[in-house]
Amino acid sequence: MNLPEDPVFHADTLAIRSGIERSQFGEHSEAMYLTSSFVFDSAAQAAARFSGAEEGNVYARFSNPTVSAMQTRLAALEGAEACVATASGMSAILSLAMAVLQTGDHIVASTGLFGATQQLFGNILSKFGIATSFVPATDLNAYREAIRPRTRLFFVETPSNPLTEVVDIAGVAAIAHEAGALLAVDNCFCSPALQRPLEFGADVVVHSATKYLDGQGRVLGGAVAGNKVVTDEVFKFLRTAGPSLSPFNAWVILKGLETLRIRMDAQSAAALELARWLEAQPGVARVYYPGLSSHPQHALAMRQQKSGGAIVSFDVEGGREAAWRVIDSTRLLSITANLGDTKTTITHPATTTHGRISPEARAAAGIGESLLRIAVGLESVEDLKADLARGLALSKSQAIPECRS
Ligand SMILES: *Cc1c(COP(=O)(O)O)cnc(C)c1O
């Protein structure tokens, strides 16, 4: 059954049915192929497989049926020609950079990228003579002005982490293409359930599958999906350099994709309710959530996203002390930097996810000491409110927080 080619099926169906190649046993749930290599019928077949004259699996660093199934399903959901799965989100971004860039090339990237992505561009690729200009995420002129003769890649994340700034994908795509460069979008926060960047002109999408695609905080994974000319280059890098996705992780993500849309809808609805509630709380200075009409790019967000997503950030009154007090007063929310789980998480970006970037870069990105980020899960919103209300009330009264149970 090869569904993704068939235009009749909707995304909800593709999420459940695409990528399935049943074995001779007729299993209903997708099989997991935990094998690192594959056997051949003959020496001649082995030679043909290795030379590429015959299609088929050779070695799991290159391909594995479970990984292929996950790639097919994610490509179908993103509306992509092809998809290459990787061991993590960071290895997806690294593989893309290694595939399309060489020494002397230049990247234009939005500020407010995931902390490790900023370090990869700013501290690692720079060692190999690949420079990056970081520009304000929402300023289209800044993208245009940053172009250099060797600009090959535009890289944006929307909504951004943790401030949920929304990048105009179609606007940046037009600027990138005018410059003869590619546009890559990190679609981690929305997932294809809420946003399909390729429809707005992006050339490739990168994913941390660790987040919503798995959706239950179990495995690491990543992917590059989009234009086949680009993903073919990514595959050439991956099969040689080896940041390949394990079949076990691919299987977990494959099954995660089946419930992606209903999870994203439910988590977004809860996030909107929580964001509205936070906006009305006395100890809260500002709420960052694209689904709120107070968000500066609310109209743009509603054009390119189905909803606001599941990440809500907010500034409390009182700096780091007050922010940490909100965290330390929770009993239900998980104090962890991960996101994209059914379990709601809370983090202090300035001292965790964004702790290793320079204070200047942090200030430029608007990530202050009073900022908290919540990744809303699937618990009762009433319970989440109660858990946060305790710390917000304490922020005001300076009372001593109760111990975390
Ligand atoms: C987590 C994350 C990454 C990196 O993914 P890993 O799977 O942790 O390597 C990249 N981009 C964004 C937006 C993320 O949240």
Side-chain angles (χ1 to χ4, degrees):
M1 192 175 345
N2 198 3
L3 291 170
E5 308 295 338
D6 195 326
V8 169
F9 294 110
H10 295 87
D12 277 353
T13 304
L14 296 173
I16 310 290
R17 299 269 177 183
S18 65
I20 294 175
E21 250 181 81
R22 240 167 232 144
S23 80
Q24 72 274 29
F25 298 114
E27 69 280 352
H28 193 205
S29 173
E30 294 77 348
M32 178 169 17
Y33 293 95
L34 287 183
T35 179
S36 51
S37 74
F38 299 84
V39 295
F40 312 109
D41 293 338
S42 64
Q45 190 186 40
R49 289 270 181 93
F50 269 85
S51 74
E54 179 183 308
E55 272 194 30
N57 296 301
V58 173
Y59 185 55
R61 173 153 38 79
F62 317 160
S63 69
N64 170 289
T66 314
V67 176
S68 302
M70 182 241 141
Q71 292 174 156
T72 302
R73 191 168 289 179
L74 182 56
L77 295 183
E78 286 287 3
E81 283 173 12
C83 173
V84 177
T86 58
S88 65
M90 288 320 301
S91 60
I93 298 169
L94 173 67
S95 300
L96 173 68
M98 292 290 114
V100 303
L101 301 173
Q102 52 188 359
T103 299
D105 285 348
H106 175 242
I107 304 170
V108 177
S110 54
T111 49
L113 292 180
F114 184 65
T117 310
Q118 292 182 48
Q119 289 175 51
L120 175 69
F121 290 174
N123 303 340
I124 298 178
L125 295 184
S126 59
K127 289 199 298 184
F128 301 93
I130 295 166
T132 303
S133 302
F134 291 97
V135 301
T138 58
D139 181 354
L140 285 182
N141 278 330
Y143 289 90
R144 198 176 283 112
E145 282 160 13
I147 294 169
R148 297 183 192 169
R150 295 276 300 268
T151 301
R152 297 276 185 266
L153 179 67
F154 282 65
F155 189 99
V156 303
E157 194 180 309
T158 184
S160 71
N161 177 17
L163 292 176
T164 73
E165 287 185 304
V166 178
V167 177
D168 179 346
I169 300 172
V172 178
I175 293 166
H177 295 157
E178 237 172 77
L182 298 168
L183 171 62
V185 176
D186 185 331
N187 200 25
C188 176
F189 270 32
C190 276
S191 89
L194 303 185
Q195 171 173 275
R196 306 213 312 166
L198 303 176
E199 287 175 359
F200 294 93
D203 301 284
V204 282
V205 164
V206 298
H207 270 290
S208 171
T210 316
K211 312 296 168 53
Y212 293 103
L213 305 189
D214 166 15
Q216 290 168 71
R218 299 166 292 192
V219 299
L220 285 175
V224 181
N227 179 319
K228 192 166 182 322
V229 175
V230 179
T231 58
D232 281 352
E233 291 303 312
V234 172
F235 176 68
K236 280 185 211 160
F237 172 78
L238 176 110
R239 63 173 286 163
T240 305
S244 314
L245 184 63
S246 89
F248 178 82
N249 289 12
W251 185 85
V252 171
I253 295 162
L254 180 71
K255 301 304 280 180
L257 290 177
E258 294 181 3
T259 55
L260 177 66
R261 205 268 301 155
I262 56 170
R263 282 187 283 107
M264 291 312 291
D265 283 351
Q267 289 175 236
S268 293
L272 178 60
E273 188 179 337
L274 194 70
R276 286 186 175 139
W277 176 82
L278 280 167
E279 255 190 338
Q281 298 311 299
V284 174
R286 182 172 169 189
V287 180
Y288 306 84
Y289 184 68
L292 289 175
S293 49
S294 61
H295 190 284
Q297 292 103 38
H298 176 64
L300 170 63
M302 294 302 102
R303 273 205 306 281
Q304 70 187 23
Q305 302 174 202
K306 186 179 161 201
S307 67
I311 309 289
V312 181
S313 294
F314 60 103
D315 282 312
V316 292
E317 278 160 9
R320 180 192 291 196
E321 208 186 322
W324 280 22
R325 200 178 297 127
V326 171
I327 293 181
D328 291 338
S329 302
T330 61
R331 295 183 208 150
L332 177 67
L333 271 59
S334 308
I335 306 172
T336 175
N338 196 26
L339 59 94
D341 200 318
T342 53
K343 296 182 177 69
T344 299
T345 66
I346 186 164
T347 193
H348 184 246
T351 52
T352 59
T353 52
H354 293 68
R356 292 212 283 167
I357 59 174
S358 70
E360 298 76 44
R362 221 168 29 237
I367 299 163
E369 292 285 340
S370 58
L371 185 73
L372 291 168
R373 186 196 74 194
I374 294 179
V376 180
L378 285 175
E379 304 96 332
S380 147
V381 192
E382 294 312 315
D383 292 340
L384 301 179
K385 289 179 193 168
D387 210 38
L388 290 164
R390 198 179 308 115
L392 287 170
L394 289 168
S395 293
K396 282 270 145 192
S397 69
Q398 307 288 309
I400 299 157
E402 286 171 60
C403 283
R404 191 176 172 77
S405 51

